[in-house]
Amino acid sequence: MLRWNEGHLFRTEYSGIYIKGFNQLIDLDNDGKPDLYVIKSTDNAPSDKVSGVQYFKLSSVNGLTEGESGRLTPYKNAKKPFENWEYLNPIPIEELTLNPKLKQNEGWDKIN
């Protein structure tokens, strides 16, 4: 990926199936029987669970693209764009210590 200057693909946003909303039975395969029930990270599963239904509780990092509905996203926090300096690896600290004439590759000197 790095060799072909395609580093931006590391930051691609992924999304899954479309969910109409939270706390409702969803028939994924249109066979007339519910298959899925999506729960907010702050809510609990209902006490009267339906047999054969997968109860999926979102975590604090994933969500739906439109807030209360939308496609499932594994990471709801925005990712930073891939920077040009990331195409080079950092020079190891040991090498910088052994040879003071070496300078850290641009961009990596800002990382803690």
Side-chain angles (χ1 to χ4, degrees), residues 18-24 40 64-70:
Y18 185 84
I19 303 296
K20 292 180 185 177
F22 293 110
N23 304 327
Q24 45 184 292
K40 288 182 183 181
L64 300 178
T65 55
E66 299 164 19
E68 294 290 314
S69 64

Side-chain angles (χ1 to χ4, degrees), residues 18-44:
Y18 185 84
I19 303 296
K20 292 180 185 177
F22 293 110
N23 304 327
Q24 45 184 292
L25 294 168
I26 302 168
D27 181 10
L28 294 173
D29 55 5
N30 291 320
D31 66 353
K33 296 182 231 167
D35 305 301
L36 182 65
Y37 188 95
V38 180
I39 308 160
K40 288 182 183 181
S41 62
T42 56
D43 295 343
N44 293 318

Side-chain angles (χ1 to χ4, degrees), residues 98-110:
L98 290 172
N99 186 348
K101 292 182 181 179
L102 287 175
K103 300 286 182 213
Q104 185 58 270
N105 286 328
E106 186 179 338
W108 288 104
D109 52 353
K110 298 172 190 154

Side-chain angles (χ1 to χ4, degrees), residues 48-102:
D48 57 338
K49 291 185 177 179
V50 177
S51 177
V53 173
Q54 177 71 39
Y55 290 83
F56 179 69
K57 184 173 184 173
L58 295 177
S59 73
S60 60
V61 296
N62 53 25
L64 300 178
T65 55
E66 299 164 19
E68 294 290 314
S69 64
R71 296 195 170 275
L72 281 171
T73 58
Y75 303 104
K76 64 182 177 184
N77 299 335
K79 297 178 184 175
K80 293 190 245 178
F82 197 85
E83 303 288 340
N84 283 334
W85 60 265
E86 292 181 89
Y87 284 104
L88 296 174
N89 288 326
I91 298 172
I93 296 284
E94 296 82 16
E95 298 301 321
L96 293 170
T97 304
L98 290 172
N99 186 348
K101 292 182 181 179
L102 287 175

